[in-house]
Every structure is written in structure tokens, then in C-alpha cells.
Amino acid sequence: MMLWLCLDNPQLAIEALGLSPQTHWVWTAHGSQRWAISGLEGGDIRAGLPYPMAQLRAPATRPLPRDPAAEARALAARAQVAYGVGSPVVVGGFEDPAGHQPPRWWLWVEIGASARLFGGVEAVRQRLLQALQPQGLQLRSGIAPTRAAAALLARMEDDRPCLDAAALPARLDPLPLAALPWPAARHQAVHGVGLRRLAELRTLPRDSLRRRFGADLLRDLDRLYGEAADPFEPVPPAERFEHRLTLLEEIAHVEALLFPLRRGLQALIAFLAARDQALIRLRLQLSLAWGAPCDYDVHLLSASRALPRLLDPLREQLMQRPPPAPVRALELRAEEWTTPPAQQTDLFDTAAVSLDWPATLERLQARLGRHRVWTPACVNQLLPEQAQCQAAPGHEGAPPAAVPRPLWWLPQPQRLTQPPRHTGAVERIDSGWWDGPLQRRDYHWLDDARGRRCWLRQDRSGDPLGGDVWWLQGLDG
């Protein structure tokens, strides 16, 4: 037996546009009639209210036309998050052909197999709701053995799980027929014969119901109570994350751009958390009112899915290099992610706050540029002055040499006018014939008059009477 967790999305129409239901609401039209399909916080406007009445009740708010493509993208993004608690995941909706009812949107995830893994059905429900909570979504949930029953319980805001198909009649029979996602014509027909609740409908003979209301009603009724198969097509897990948001108004200031950017990053974090992955590389592309799009890249030094680690570098880059024109749309793409490293802490660690050095270095890179923040790393080269390079912070490089070498190298070696006294070679090279002329060198450490520890190079000529050339190459760091 399957067990479905359903999320009812009553405000999807406004949430898909990335706006707040406190100041905006969405309308749709059927013929010459228009009505609201998203509510306004405070109850001034509810879904299904005619457009003129909604304007009279909240004249200071802004009505917006419906965007079905944005709704589909938003619902698909939530489906990817639901894969973190179960499988398969199904999305669906209801559209009244006559246009007399507002649309509805649902997301189902089968949790019968994963309930024991997460500690029960309530734990699964809370896990999914908490994953979506940072996005500020309005959701209602229901749990039942059939998808239609779970959606109906969510519609009625009945969060008590129904775990057994045998318990469905007791839970569903008292519910009103008006709550079912049926076309307006069917609702008018059953209402016209005095039927108000599911129990009253089920007591009538099936042959009479079929003749009066058609076979589709019986089919929907059987699927609701688990007495008939309810086929579905699951949403496939996404191979990559792409979030695109078209702004309703052009944004010319970076601070105003951070709000939709934060919402997109929260969707990315939920996507990663559902897969237990962490981000390594992210790209933000801004579509402008004129000119070519602007790209911003974030390459984390260590994998993470914490919002500050993703938002702070983007904010720094936007402040240092603001868009040259107003922004019309933004697109976030996760270029690379991986399994996050296991977090280990000291049992006796009493420090209240630990310094997050990777986050600090990432902010410095975003502010100063990636080429200005680096770490010295060893490379496999014969000559000491060539065995070090500038690498990204955190790069380990090759194993260091057995003898100490200088950290600071002079841009150009300085030739010494006379050889130093009392030196002993710490490193000798007498090789290199495979990629150029033969190298015959000795390297020395020597303290000069100013107390500096200097790295000297002696080019050996092989003449026992002298002829060697001495160079100052570097200093001890």
C-alpha cells in the first residue's frame, strides 16, 4: 500500500512571481470575466473573488496577470526538494473548464517506504516543510493512502495522517462535496439534487449515479476511496539546477536585487539539501534592459550550502562591479556540486564561535579579485626558484622539498660583487640535461648585516681557481 504526502499550494500564483502576498495578488480571465486566484494576507482578498470587488477591497495593492509557465517552474522546483523525503514525486493541478473556480496546485510524494527511515510520517512531513520554509511559502499538507484523499485533507487543513485505506470512509464521508476539485457543472448538478456531503453521495445506487452524472464521477469517487487505480507520471529528478526569474519591474540598484537573489539561493539550498550535496561553483547571469548579459561566478574554497557562503560573495561582486544597466531577469545555475565533508567537532571544545576562514577568503576574493588572493604552493620542478607557484587558497600542491627554501623570491636575482665568506651549501643541483643546458649550482643560507636571512645561489664553473658567480635570490619569510 502506498502512502502519499500532499502539499496544497494555495498561493503558488503569486509565489511563482517571487513577490509577497502582502502587496500583490494575481488575477486570471475567462472570456470577459476576471477574478483573483491568489489571496491577500489579512483576508481582504481571497481566491475566486471577482476582479472589480478585489480592487475595491484593496485599492492600494497591485494586481498582476497570471503566469502559468512560472507556476510550472515553481512547482517543479518544489518537486525536486520533495525527493529528499521520498519517491516517486508527482505534481498536478485542477483547471475548471468553465473558469468558475480558481486553479489548484498539488505536489505528492510517496512516503510509505521512507517513513521508518526518518522516524515516522510526522517526521517526514516536518522535514519537507522545514526544507521549504526558508522560501516563505504558504503550504497545507495532508497524508492518506490515495493521492485524491491526501489532496482533499490538505484542502480541508486536516493534518491528521490517515494511514490505512480502511479508515478512509470514516475520514472522508463527513467532508463537503464543495471541497472536491470537480468542474462547476458537476457541483451544480449534485447540489441541485440536494447532495452536500460525500456520505450522501456514496449511499446512492451506482447505476443511478452513472445515469445521472456520468461514469467520470464514479471513477473519481473510486480513486478517492482507493477502490480504483489512479495512474500517475512522476516528475524525474533533475540533473542540474537552473532558476530563472523574470522581474516585473527593472531593478537598477544592487540592494533591491538582493531580495529576488536571496529567494533563488534559498531554492538552490533546498535543492542541494534534498540530495545531501553542497555547492562548489555557482554562476549568476543578469539580463539587462540593454547590452549584453552580466555574469558573476562564485567558486567556493570548500563545499557548502549555507546561505551566507553563497550570498556574501555575490553581494561583494555586485557591489564591486554593478550591472551597467537595469536588470530585467536573473538566472542562477549550479555549475558544480559534491558530497559535503563530514563535520567533526571536539568534544571538549568550549569556543562559542569558530572562525570560518574559507568564507572570509571567499569574501576577499569577491572584493579584491581572485588573482589577488592566493597561497604559495610547491610544484615538481628541478630549480628551487621554479618549484613554487601562486595557487588558489586551500590548494595543497606537491610535497615540499626536504630542505628549507625561501618564501619570498626576488623578482630578479641580484648579482653579488664578491663571494661571501663562511658559507656551507644546503642544496646542490648538478643535473637538468634532459630539458636544457646542464645546471651546476649550490644554494646557501647566509645572514647579512641587517639581520636578514638570505638565500644565495652559486653558479659553479668547475674552475678550482674560482670563476663562480654568486646571486641573491630570496629571503626567509
Side-chain angles (χ1 to χ4, degrees), residues 29 34 76 78 118 137 155 163 171 177 188 201 213 217 234 268:
R34 294 188 295 176
R78 298 178 192 185
F118 293 110
L137 308 178
R155 165 81 171 177
L163 306 179
R171 294 290 302 275
L177 292 172
Q188 293 173 0
L201 184 65
F213 304 112
L217 184 144
L268 170 59

Side-chain angles (χ1 to χ4, degrees), residues 65-411:
R66 181 186 181 187
D67 188 349
E71 296 166 5
R73 290 194 299 267
L75 200 57
R78 298 178 192 185
Q80 300 303 320
V81 178
Y83 269 109
V85 299
S87 176
V89 178
V90 185
V91 297
F94 169 74
E95 300 279 351
D96 187 2
H100 298 304
Q101 300 181 74
R104 303 182 190 176
W105 306 270
W106 299 290
L107 182 152
W108 295 274
V109 53
E110 207 285 319
I111 61 172
S114 58
R116 293 180 60 186
L117 174 65
F118 293 110
V121 294
E122 282 298 338
V124 175
R125 187 209 309 260
Q126 294 304 318
R127 186 183 182 94
L128 180 56
L129 293 177
Q130 289 174 4
L132 295 169
Q133 181 182 8
Q135 303 180 44
L137 308 178
Q138 295 190 22
L139 303 169
R140 297 182 294 207
S141 62
I143 299 176
T146 67
R147 291 193 300 122
L152 182 57
L153 293 178
R155 165 81 171 177
M156 302 302 299
E157 300 186 41
D158 185 353
D159 58 1
R160 295 172 300 156
C162 182
L163 306 179
D164 189 1
L168 280 176
R171 294 290 302 275
L172 301 180
D173 284 350
L175 299 182
L177 292 172
L180 293 171
W182 287 353
R186 183 187 294 179
H187 276 296
Q188 293 173 0
V190 297
H191 188 272
V193 297
L195 300 176
R196 299 293 183 271
R197 300 193 178 273
L198 276 165
E200 300 171 357
L201 184 65
R202 296 184 69 229
T203 57
L204 298 179
R206 293 179 63 89
D207 291 339
S208 299
L209 290 176
R210 183 180 293 105
R211 288 195 303 268
R212 181 180 291 270
F213 304 112
D216 290 346
L217 184 144
L218 289 178
R219 179 203 61 196
D220 294 342
L221 200 62
D222 291 342
R223 289 178 176 178
L224 176 65
Y225 283 86
E227 297 171 356
D230 188 6
F232 59 85
E233 183 176 352
V235 177
E239 296 294 332
R240 56 189 303 178
F241 176 87
E242 292 184 353
H243 173 84
R244 180 174 177 83
L245 178 62
T246 301
L247 304 175
L248 297 176
E249 295 180 347
E250 296 177 353
I251 295 179
H253 302 285
V254 172
E255 289 298 335
L257 191 63
L258 294 180
F259 177 75
L261 180 58
R262 181 187 295 270
R263 295 291 294 269
L265 290 175
Q266 288 168 343
L268 170 59
I269 292 171
F271 173 88
L272 295 170
R275 287 157 175 75
D276 193 24
Q277 298 288 292
L279 188 74
I280 296 179
R281 196 156 57 90
L282 170 70
R283 171 166 292 184
L284 168 66
Q285 185 177 80
L286 302 180
S287 298
L288 308 180
W290 59 82
C294 287
D295 290 339
Y296 301 86
D297 290 318
V298 172
H299 198 151
L300 300 182
L301 301 178
S302 60
S304 175
R305 57 172 179 256
L307 180 61
R309 290 282 302 277
L310 308 183
L311 182 60
D312 289 348
L314 283 175
R315 180 193 288 115
E316 292 290 346
Q317 291 190 41
L318 288 169
M319 291 297 185
Q320 296 295 322
R321 188 166 54 92
V327 179
R328 287 183 173 176
L330 61 87
E331 182 176 354
L332 282 170
R333 293 196 300 269
E335 300 287 348
E336 185 179 355
W337 61 77
T338 186
T339 303
Q343 298 293 328
Q344 297 182 358
T345 57
D346 188 350
L347 179 63
F348 302 101
D349 186 9
T350 58
V353 180
S354 61
L355 296 177
D356 192 349
W357 287 113
T360 302
L361 292 174
E362 287 158 6
R363 286 195 296 270
L364 288 174
Q365 286 184 331
R367 181 173 300 180
L368 304 176
R370 294 185 59 86
H371 64 286
R372 296 180 181 274
V373 182
W374 53 272
T375 185
C378 296
V379 295
N380 292 318
Q381 292 291 337
L382 175 65
L383 301 181
E385 58 268 25
Q386 299 176 359
Q388 181 174 297
C389 69
Q390 295 182 4
H395 182 74
E396 295 183 0
V403 296
R405 289 175 172 175
L407 181 63
W408 304 104
W409 296 87
L410 300 181

